[in-house]
Amino acid sequence: MTHSPRLLLAVFLVLSATTVWLPRPSAAQTAAGAKLRGSATYRERVALTPGAVFEAKLLDVSREDAPARTIAQIRLENPGQVPISFEIAYDPLRLDSRMRYVVRASIVEERGIQFAGESPYSPPARGKGERLSILMHPVKDLGESEPLRPDEPATFVGILPCADCTGIRYQLNLLPEGAYMQRMTYLRDGHDDSFYELGRWSRSIDRRVLTLDGDRHGKAYWSVKDHETIRKLDNAGNPIRSNAPYELKRRPEVEPMEPRLRMSGMFRYMADAPRFRECRSGLEWPVAMSDDYRDLERAYSKRRPSPGAELLVSLRGRVEQRPRMEGRGTQAMLVVEDFLEATPGETCPGGGLEEGNLR
């Protein structure tokens, strides 16, 4: 059976009009029923005053170098006593399964924030939307007994379980201004393999979770138990339910480390004083004029934007103690083992740690 061209055209116009005028769901309709449910409590036997205010926020904390972005929040005046149940309505279109989110809870009274805590949150695409449980801690008790001070270096060491080796020996050096160095040595029969990492460290709002941002496989999380001990958490920041030794102990003094790895950073040369600032950690060292330094200097002379300006470079190198160029004693210096490339017109990207740790 055949149809006339006019009939086919009429059917096409009717279907097109129907398609055009079908209403599309709005963002508000899409968000209907999108609620994050949870409860918050603390262990201390302290009653809240009638003037207490409870706040809970869903935050995007994906970028370590930027303030957390608020997705949604609630505020409850005179919430009663703990545990405090809460619901946060949010628009799921604002969440991205590739990003990292937390829910932060706090109790504010006239004297300021009294209790605070947080918990990782997985968007529905990655999790089951289970009810969150947040344990808050007294903020006022973290003053003089602060276990991790941003201006005080510390070394933590320990041997953690390993699936295919005897164990993994960790040395974690937390340095001032939020930088860190880490060595992981895989203990195997007949030989050991060491891998180094540079990055930034930070703490959660309740100061109980230490976050290391430097691993090319993602962030690492540690629970701060006390001044002497940190315990490894899983990849989502949750406790590892095991009796195996997952703790690192603090050394009485900071122990030196000479990392050897591939890195990217900003190089400059001025008045016979070459310096390199590593992108991920922000650590900066003078550069030794040995090994493959001459290739780096030649590339800098050809591709620098102006005399004394910084140039983004990639290299394989090590940081070691060498005699000072002036005066007595030694200092940490970067030794360029292999200059890789220069990238004019660019600055440090979001991460400076590259593939290819050296053993």
Side-chain angles (χ1 to χ4, degrees), residues 34-317:
K35 291 184 178 180
L36 186 161
R37 297 177 172 85
S39 64
T41 189
Y42 52 78
R43 294 195 179 103
E44 288 68 21
R45 296 184 178 181
V46 178
L48 296 178
T49 65
V53 175
F54 173 80
E55 296 179 346
K57 297 180 180 181
L58 173 59
L59 301 171
D60 181 346
V61 293
S62 305
R63 293 187 57 186
E64 205 69 34
D65 59 346
R69 183 169 63 93
T70 301
I71 303 298
Q73 61 184 320
I74 56 128
R75 176 184 173 90
L76 303 177
E77 296 184 0
N78 191 14
Q81 303 303 320
V82 295
I84 300 171
S85 297
F86 63 89
E87 290 186 354
I88 303 177
Y90 67 93
D91 180 356
L93 296 178
R94 298 187 64 187
L95 301 188
D96 186 331
S97 60
R98 298 169 297 180
M99 301 294 102
R100 189 168 70 90
Y101 302 95
V102 300
V103 178
R104 289 181 181 169
S106 60
I107 294 176
V108 183
E109 295 186 335
E110 289 184 2
R111 296 170 293 170
I113 299 178
Q114 300 301 301
F115 296 90
E118 67 179 32
S119 173
Y121 177 70
S122 297
R126 293 191 300 170
K128 301 179 181 179
E130 297 161 338
R131 186 180 179 88
L132 290 176
S133 180
I134 301 177
L135 178 62
M136 298 182 291
H137 301 278
V139 174
K140 61 183 179 180
D141 290 342
L142 295 176
E144 296 180 358
S145 62
E146 177 61 59
L148 297 176
R149 294 173 55 87
D151 58 346
E152 179 183 287
T155 295
F156 290 84
V157 298
I159 298 178
L160 273 61
C162 176
D164 59 353
C165 65
T166 304
I168 306 174
R169 182 190 297 123
Y170 276 78
Q171 179 181 342
L172 173 60
N173 284 8
L174 300 179
L175 306 175
E177 300 182 2
Y180 76 87
M181 296 180 178
Q182 179 177 270
R183 178 175 61 225
M184 297 170 59
T185 302
Y186 290 76
L187 307 177
R188 307 183 190 279
D189 293 336
H191 70 283
D192 299 337
D193 294 329
S194 292
F195 297 86
Y196 293 91
E197 180 177 298
L198 305 176
R200 306 290 299 173
W201 66 272
S202 61
R203 293 167 299 173
S204 58
I205 190 173
D206 62 2
R207 308 180 192 179
R208 304 290 179 173
V209 176
L210 172 68
T211 300
L212 304 182
D213 183 11
D215 189 352
R216 63 185 183 273
H217 298 301
K219 294 180 174 65
Y221 305 97
W222 297 81
S223 172
V224 182
K225 297 187 64 177
D226 51 45
H227 188 78
E228 304 295 331
T229 310
I230 61 175
R231 181 178 175 83
K232 188 170 179 57
L233 302 175
D234 66 18
N235 293 335
N238 298 314
I240 297 175
R241 307 298 181 185
S242 172
N243 293 325
Y246 279 97
E247 295 182 345
L248 303 184
K249 293 293 184 179
R250 187 171 189 159
R251 291 296 201 193
E253 297 181 355
V254 177
E255 299 184 355
M257 185 186 304
E258 297 186 343
R260 182 170 180 252
L261 70 165
R262 176 174 173 170
M263 60 188 89
S264 293
M266 305 304 296
F267 174 81
R268 72 179 185 274
Y269 179 90
M270 181 179 293
D272 294 329
R275 296 190 68 84
F276 176 85
R277 175 169 52 85
E278 200 269 335
C279 281
R280 174 71 77 177
S281 65
L283 292 170
E284 185 172 339
W285 308 278
V287 182
M289 295 182 182
S290 63
D291 296 67
D292 204 26
Y293 169 77
R294 294 304 173 189
D295 284 347
L296 169 59
E297 185 182 279
R298 282 192 289 268
Y300 177 78
S301 298
K302 292 179 180 179
R303 313 193 72 178
R304 65 186 180 181
S306 61
E310 290 188 327
L311 177 69
L312 180 64
V313 300
S314 296
L315 54 88
R316 291 188 180 92

